[in-house]
Amino acid sequence: AEPPGVQGTLAALPAPAGPAPCAEPCSSPRARAAHGAAPERRPVLPRCPRPAPAAAAAAPAAGEEEARAAVRHALRLALLARLLVRRLLRRRAGAAAAGLRVPRRPRPAGPGSGRAAPRLPFPAAPATQSAAGGEVAEGATSQEEQSPETPDSPSPISSFFSGSGSKQLPQAIIIGVKKGGTRALLEFLRVHPDVRAVGAEPHFFDRSYDKGLAWYRDLMPRTLDGQITMEKTPSYFVTREAPARISAMSKDTKLLVVVRDPVTRAVSDYTQTLSKRPDIPSFESLAFRNRSAGLVDRSWSAIQIGLYAEHLERWLRHFPARQMLFVSGERLVRDPAGELGRVQDFLGLKRIISDKHFYFNQTKGFPCLKKAEGSGRPHCLGKTKGRPHPEIDAQVLRQLRDFYRPFNRKFYQMTGHDFGWD
């Protein structure tokens, strides 16, 4: 018990000095403790597991890459489909203007036919065959394409996306003549988007016929629906068995023959042989059996090839004249676009190749392409083209023109065209 009056005395004493009240709300825990405020209790939130930095960056990057790939894939499909539609419309319009009917590839059978429709492969850039630079020597083997032939022809869009198409036997063949301008015609034609041709000379119908049509077809480039497969082998025109063999393959094959003044052609033929064998006899000694009597040696191949009328008689036994086009080798040099116009009409193609595709090379004395197939650069034929001819005695040339004159006139009558060689 406290003595009387103690409680009053204690009550009268001043209270002990404490911390001054906060002028502003205390924010930090230390300040709140200094001012006697109760510590602030914050709710404790559960922590989520955080991915590793590398994985966190890779996750959105992978998603963005997949999105970009899908966009690129869709754009590629749209672009290729647009190009295909434009090509088909252009081809149909050209065929309609020429009064022709473009054959359509049969559609794949449906589910009830027992045959599965072809799959649409992943799109790839269409393969383009490069133009050959120069004349391929006779007997040279063609480069066979490694991909096997497709058993069922795919749809046009599938073929366009896959860049493969299908291999077909040629619908048109340049059958002659040697040193007439066949390489120039083939290279010029390959500028056309609807022409696909073998670069090297297959020599199937004169040297490799025993290998069979399957071997021959495998040499051909792959084509899309509506494109023309072509090849050129000039020796076919003078091969006795070639007309019957080509007719057995297809009676509808279109044949192109590039002809040239037989005297100039013989000199060009001799020039090519001379470049390979400089020790051969002179042109005069090979061309005549008896020079003084003017007796021409018809057994010499350079002379024999120029007897166009005799060779043509064999071809007309197997093909009608309407399936043969005779291209002027001289006009192919003077006016390549004009002569190519005739060829495009004959093949049922739209006239796409024109003057804008050519320029004249003054050095070679020959027309060249401003842009070759598969390239954006100018392209001239190889160094074997435009070679200077050796000097031939003018009397020899006159004798040869006299020899060829009756054969030329008969050839004019058979073809209905005067080439003006006389």
Side-chain angles (χ1 to χ4, degrees):
E2 296 179 353
V6 174
Q7 293 183 352
T9 304
L10 292 176
L13 291 175
C22 294
E24 296 180 359
C26 299
S27 56
S28 65
R30 181 176 298 177
R32 294 178 65 88
H35 292 83
E40 182 183 9
R41 295 186 178 273
R42 297 180 180 178
V44 180
L45 299 177
R47 292 187 177 184
C48 298
R50 295 182 179 179
E64 293 177 2
E65 185 60 31
E66 290 179 0
R68 291 195 187 103
V71 171
R72 288 195 299 266
H73 182 80
L75 291 176
R76 189 183 297 115
L77 292 179
L79 177 60
L80 294 179
R82 180 181 179 185
L83 292 175
L84 177 61
V85 169
R86 291 177 61 185
R87 172 174 290 184
L88 291 177
L89 291 176
R90 187 172 64 245
R91 187 186 308 116
R92 300 285 176 187
L100 301 175
R101 179 180 179 272
V102 180
R104 300 191 179 209
R105 197 182 302 276
R107 294 185 178 182
S113 64
R115 196 178 81 182
R119 292 189 297 116
L120 184 67
F122 183 82
T128 306
Q129 181 172 350
S130 300
E135 180 89 18
V136 181
E138 291 190 7
T141 56
S142 303
Q143 296 178 353
E144 298 184 18
E145 297 187 17
Q146 301 297 326
S147 41
E149 184 179 355
T150 334
D152 291 327
S153 299
S155 64
I157 294 180
S158 173
S159 301
F160 191 80
F161 283 173
S162 64
S164 59
S166 59
K167 294 185 178 183
Q168 307 289 337
L169 292 171
Q171 296 92 39
I173 303 177
I174 301 175
I175 60 174
V177 296
K178 180 184 178 185
K179 306 310 297 178
T182 58
R183 172 57 61 181
L185 177 61
L186 183 68
E187 293 302 310
F188 295 165
L189 274 175
R190 291 172 73 174
V191 175
H192 201 290
D194 290 336
V195 173
R196 296 279 287 144
V198 183
E201 297 173 4
H203 284 279
F204 174 68
F205 294 104
D206 59 347
R207 301 179 185 175
S208 304
Y209 192 66
D210 57 336
K211 295 183 179 180
L213 287 175
W215 177 87
Y216 181 51
R217 176 166 45 199
D218 196 51
L219 299 180
M220 300 298 119
R222 295 182 178 272
T223 54
L224 303 177
D225 181 27
Q227 289 183 317
I228 294 178
T229 303
M230 292 188 64
E231 70 114 318
K232 78 107 178 170
T233 304
S235 56
Y236 290 163
F237 188 64
V238 298
T239 301
R240 294 184 176 273
E241 300 83 4
R245 290 173 175 177
I246 296 178
S247 177
M249 177 189 72
S250 174
K251 295 182 180 297
D252 298 326
T253 305
K254 294 185 176 182
L255 308 173
L256 295 97
V257 188
V258 188
V259 290
R260 183 182 182 186
D261 180 352
V263 177
T264 309
R265 196 220 66 81
V267 176
S268 179
D269 198 339
Y270 174 79
T271 304
Q272 182 183 49
T273 307
L274 184 66
S275 66
K276 300 175 183 178
R277 296 165 50 197
D279 57 339
I280 62 173
S282 66
F283 178 85
E284 294 85 346
S285 61
L286 292 172
F288 293 91
R289 289 184 178 178
N290 189 326
R291 169 75 186 282
S292 59
L295 184 59
V296 177
D297 188 0
R298 293 184 45 161
S299 64
W300 186 32
S301 63
I303 297 295
Q304 198 263 344
I305 291 175
L307 303 175
Y308 302 144
E310 292 188 354
H311 304 305
L312 181 57
E313 286 178 347
R314 290 194 298 268
W315 288 92
L316 291 178
R317 297 189 194 115
H318 299 273
F319 292 93
R322 66 176 180 275
Q323 283 181 228
M324 302 185 70
L325 180 68
F326 298 90
V327 180
S328 170
E330 289 84 6
R331 191 173 177 224
L332 194 61
V333 175
R334 294 194 310 265
D335 181 18
E339 202 67 2
L340 263 293
R342 294 180 59 234
V343 175
Q344 291 173 94
D345 293 343
F346 174 71
L347 296 176
L349 300 171
K350 184 179 180 181
R351 286 200 176 197
I352 292 179
I353 306 173
S354 61
D355 287 322
K356 67 180 182 180
H357 291 91
F358 301 98
Y359 73 95
F360 193 80
N361 187 306
Q362 298 291 343
T363 304
K364 297 179 72 68
F366 207 82
C368 299
L369 290 169
K370 293 181 179 178
K371 291 183 180 181
E373 181 206 22
S375 172
R377 297 178 300 175
H379 171 68
C380 285
L381 298 180
K383 61 181 180 181
T384 61
K385 304 303 175 186
R387 281 182 296 219
H389 293 173
E391 291 291 335
I392 307 295
D393 186 2
Q395 178 62 25
V396 171
L397 299 180
R398 280 194 296 269
Q399 288 177 306
L400 287 178
R401 294 195 185 280
D402 293 338
F403 166 75
Y404 277 119
R405 185 168 292 109
F407 298 100
N408 291 344
R409 290 177 177 174
K410 185 177 181 180
F411 183 66
Y412 298 163
Q413 293 176 354
M414 298 173 72
T415 60
H417 182 74
D418 187 344
F419 290 90
W421 297 325
D422 301 321

